[in-house]
Amino acid sequence: CMNYMFPASYAWGNFSVLAVGIWAVVQRDSLDAILMFLTGLLLTVLTDIIHISLFYPPNDYLTDVKRFSIGMAIFSLLLKPVSSYFVYQMYRERGGE
């Protein structure tokens, strides 16, 4: 997101899941909000893999800012399964099956 290396769909997808996550945390009694957040997290794992694999620049054009931007995107991708696990635990606590 920082370096405009990824298309706008990368930012829109991740920020919209973040907005649904804020909604799910604020509205503690809603089962639909937490389920939408979990679905969005799992969907962005797939789309992040596609974005990183398609838009990874060649070594000739890899500056420090691009390298940091890709590193943060990969770090975010690695943390999403962990956060999905915790969101699933919240889903189970709220009465999901």
Side-chain angles (χ1 to χ4, degrees):
C1 266
M2 276 180 42
N3 200 19
Y4 301 107
M5 187 174 48
F6 296 123
S9 61
Y10 178 79
W12 277 104
N14 284 311
F15 289 141
S16 61
V17 168
L18 179 66
V20 172
I22 291 171
W23 172 48
V25 169
V26 169
Q27 200 167 13
R28 293 193 182 272
D29 57 343
S30 175
L31 192 61
D32 293 335
I34 199 74
L35 186 61
M36 285 178 60
F37 183 44
L38 182 61
T39 305
L41 272 175
L42 296 175
L43 184 65
T44 56
V45 167
L46 178 67
T47 59
D48 285 357
I49 291 171
I50 293 170
H51 279 109
I52 291 171
S53 64
L54 287 179
F55 295 102
Y56 194 86
N59 279 339
D60 301 340
Y61 301 107
L62 198 58
T63 62
D64 290 337
V65 176
K66 287 183 181 179
R67 189 171 309 175
F68 179 77
S69 188
I70 287 177
M72 289 297 109
I74 292 171
F75 185 65
S76 171
L77 178 63
L78 290 175
L79 285 179
K80 281 185 183 179
V82 175
S83 58
S84 296
Y85 173 75
F86 288 123
V87 170
Y88 180 71
Q89 291 299 325
M90 288 174 59
Y91 174 72
R92 297 291 305 252
E93 288 174 4
R94 292 185 185 186
E97 294 181 15

